[in-house]
Amino acid sequence: MSNKFSRILSFTLLTFVLALGTNWSPPATARTPEHVSLSGQQQALVDDLQQRTFRFFWDSANPANGLIPDHYPGESFSSIAAVGFGLTAYGVGVERGYITREQAIERTLATLRFFDTAPQGDSEDGDSGYQGFFYHFLDMQSGKRFARWTEVSTVDTTLLLGGVLFAQSYYDRDTPAEREIRTLADRIYRRVNWNWAQVRAPLISMGWTPGGKFIPADWKGYNEGMLVYILALGSPTHPVGPEAWTAWLSTNPLTWGTFEGQTFLNFGPLFGHQYSQVWIDFRGIRDAWSREHGLDYFENSRRAVIAQRNYAIANPGGWTGYGKNVWGLTASNGPGGFIVEGHGRREKFQGYTARGAGLGDIVDDGTIAPTAAAGSIAFAPALVIPALAEMKRLYGKDIYNRYGFVDAFNPSFHIHTLLRTGKLVPMGWVDNEQLGIDQGPIVLMIANWRRDFVWNVMKKNPYIRKGLERAGFEGGWLGTR
């Protein structure tokens, strides 16, 4: 089995079953203006990281169709979720002066034109998607389903749509090119048939394949699926009913509790707290559940970040390097499937998997993913920025390159063996690639932390507002027009 196939297969199988040592505690609606209280060195670190991470998307994309690879450098299929992050990153690039608006428009148009005309159907190999949704992985050149093991993915289509709707709201000038962007974005979003995916209504299925049909699992419980339901509720053509949001929340009592000194709605991997909040500002807006529990989802994610840092400080697994400024568990690459026994200890090192730490949900093999911290900068900048600086200071020559931090590293892994990915260095195992779905939260959450940039663009989108309101969210910026 190839390295990449085994990594993606493990991820696909995982989707089937997904169902602090500090007193720093700002209010949930607090925000840190750009670089306030940062040293010159810290400011340079964040600036450099954002620009390098942006370059991942700009350099790796196929300019003919806008498709962005799942992993890079090296050969790869395209991840439609990475495309969604990339479409949003182009706007950041314009605002930061990395590219011109004209360059962003050209790349965005190429992307949207492809998805607007990509073949939709129920064939095994000849289509890019079905019922308005798209396959999780597409061939970088043809744009068709990459292989028969990849599914039509509701969540990855949702992450793609995050970028599509960002483009619709960001490119708001009265020019032929920007009018076309808005038209294409609207058509792509309106075509998605959310009702078709409600095979076990009112919930939404995780996905579908022509051969296996619907995946036997639905989006239910606090995780990255929040955005799935908000976009489904906001659809002007195939909307789900408000009862879908109620059903999605129904398992919250199972994960609400205290972990590492923080009481919050738990989900172990930090990507579950980041992905939806890349595009939606949850500060000050609350649904029925969050009103009942006295916090918004932004505050919930802030507590999750603090708890995971506390977990690293406690380091119950005894992993090398963990501490107050070296932490971060999320879905990422890893050394591979190895079990090591010796000195009274049995260690299992995994390849690509959803690592995390939360109430009843510990998946930890010593592998640290910098995106877990970096993608949380908007939630807890006072914890994240020192962590980024320390990881770069300690390991930068091995883990920081042209496109920023590599996907992951593991100072506890020292087995001299054939590796599925990455390489062994004196420090331990380090990856040799970046993943689009891990790069995205870095560049976009830095933009949100600086000036609420992505959040403010998305607040203008009527579909986002409608989805939130139909889910029962009130207050905050939803009270203004």
Side-chain angles (χ1 to χ4, degrees):
M1 182 179 294
S2 70
N3 300 349
K4 300 306 176 189
F5 180 83
S6 61
R7 180 173 73 76
I8 300 306
L9 179 60
S10 67
F11 175 80
T12 302
L13 292 174
L14 175 66
T15 64
F16 288 8
V17 298
L18 280 175
L20 162 85
T22 179
N23 292 320
W24 180 75
S25 182
T29 56
R31 65 179 295 271
T32 304
E34 181 174 3
H35 301 320
V36 168
S37 76
L38 294 191
S39 69
Q41 189 174 18
Q42 288 175 321
Q43 176 175 325
L45 167 68
V46 177
D47 289 348
D48 187 66
L49 175 61
Q50 186 176 35
Q51 184 167 11
R52 287 174 185 259
T53 308
F54 166 82
R55 285 290 165 188
F56 168 91
F57 293 100
W58 191 254
D59 291 355
S60 69
N62 179 347
N65 57 23
L67 293 179
I68 292 171
D70 171 74
H71 50 275
Y72 187 79
E75 292 188 12
S76 174
F77 35 79
S78 173
S79 157
I80 61 169
V83 176
F85 286 121
L87 284 169
T88 313
Y90 303 151
V92 175
V94 173
E95 299 301 311
R96 297 297 296 170
Y98 307 150
I99 56 174
T100 66
R101 190 176 183 95
E102 289 68 31
Q103 287 176 302
I105 288 170
E106 181 180 16
R107 182 68 60 84
T108 299
L109 275 174
T111 309
L112 298 184
R113 286 168 179 165
F114 164 74
F115 281 100
D116 181 52
T117 59
Q120 291 265 327
D122 60 0
S123 70
E124 285 279 13
D125 308 303
D127 294 306
S128 301
Y130 189 51
Q131 295 290 336
F133 295 93
F134 293 93
Y135 282 101
H136 192 161
F137 301 116
L138 302 176
D139 182 274
M140 281 289 295
Q141 304 306 317
S142 71
K144 295 181 180 179
R145 184 187 191 188
F146 179 74
R148 292 193 177 187
W149 46 261
T150 187
E151 81 285 11
V152 166
S153 172
T154 52
V155 72
D156 290 276
T157 298
T158 293
L159 298 175
L160 168 65
L161 292 174
V164 169
L165 294 181
F166 171 87
Q168 182 184 45
S169 293
Y170 178 68
Y171 300 99
D172 57 359
R173 297 179 183 177
D174 190 21
T175 66
E178 298 200 24
R179 287 197 300 271
E180 184 182 358
I181 286 175
R182 295 193 294 272
T183 298
L184 292 171
D186 201 60
R187 194 153 61 212
I188 292 166
Y189 174 62
R190 285 172 173 265
R191 189 172 57 200
V192 179
N193 188 350
W194 303 97
N195 306 128
W196 166 80
Q198 289 185 291
V199 64
R200 290 168 290 272
L203 295 170
I204 294 174
S205 172
M206 288 188 172
W208 174 91
T209 62
K213 303 306 178 185
F214 283 100
I215 290 173
D218 301 307
W219 288 107
K220 186 175 184 179
Y222 179 76
N223 49 38
E224 72 275 26
M226 179 184 295
L227 190 61
V228 173
Y229 284 98
I230 290 170
L231 294 192
L233 285 161
S235 171
T237 50
H238 305 283
V240 301
E243 65 276 8
W245 187 259
T246 302
W248 182 70
L249 294 174
S250 65
T251 62
N252 281 6
L254 301 177
T255 56
W256 171 260
T258 301
F259 177 75
E260 291 292 345
Q262 298 291 311
T263 301
F264 62 106
L265 193 58
N266 282 247
F267 183 77
L270 282 178
F271 77 86
H273 299 273
Q274 296 169 350
Y275 281 5
S276 295
Q277 298 197 50
V278 160
W279 287 284
I280 298 178
D281 182 1
F282 283 96
R283 295 172 302 174
I285 65 171
R286 299 184 180 187
D287 63 355
W289 184 90
S290 53
R291 286 193 294 272
E292 179 183 347
H293 288 79
L295 81 170
D296 55 41
Y297 290 104
F298 179 93
E299 169 65 13
N300 193 80
S301 292
R302 188 187 71 85
R303 295 182 188 182
V305 173
I306 296 172
Q308 198 177 108
R309 178 178 181 264
N310 284 349
Y311 169 83
I313 294 170
N315 193 13
W319 300 108
T320 302
Y322 280 27
K324 66 178 183 179
N325 288 326
V326 180
W327 53 271
L329 303 178
T330 192
S332 73
N333 276 345
F338 302 100
I339 297 177
V340 181
E341 298 189 48
H343 307 289
R345 184 179 173 101
R346 186 176 189 271
E347 299 171 333
K348 181 179 180 181
F349 297 98
Q350 302 185 68
Y352 184 88
T353 196
R355 297 169 178 84
L359 189 67
D361 183 18
I362 306 293
V363 180
D364 183 13
D365 64 354
T367 301
I368 295 169
T371 185
S376 301
I377 190 170
F379 303 131
L383 306 186
V384 167
I385 294 171
L388 299 178
E390 182 73 356
M391 287 189 282
K392 186 179 179 183
R393 183 187 70 82
L394 289 173
Y395 309 121
K397 66 182 180 66
D398 294 316
I399 70 170
Y400 197 81
N401 60 30
R402 177 179 177 85
Y403 299 116
F405 287 106
V406 297
D407 191 58
F409 63 97
N410 190 321
S412 298
F413 186 90
H414 296 281
I415 305 171
H416 291 273
T417 185
L418 182 64
L419 295 168
R420 295 182 177 180
T421 188
K423 61 184 179 180
L424 202 63
V425 298
M427 173 267 281
W429 175 84
V430 298
D431 207 354
N432 54 8
E433 62 188 18
Q434 282 90 358
L435 304 187
I437 60 173
D438 286 346
Q439 294 288 85
I442 297 176
V443 64
L444 302 182
M445 282 305 225
I446 290 176
N448 282 330
W449 166 71
R450 287 185 190 279
R451 291 286 184 247
D452 299 355
F453 170 64
V454 180
W455 290 335
N456 283 342
V457 170
M458 299 306 286
K459 288 172 186 176
K460 298 186 296 182
N461 191 282
Y463 301 135
I464 294 293
R465 179 182 288 271
K466 181 180 179 182
L468 288 167
E469 290 175 343
R470 294 193 72 224
F473 283 90
E474 298 175 348
W477 62 267
L478 281 174
T480 61
R481 291 284 177 177

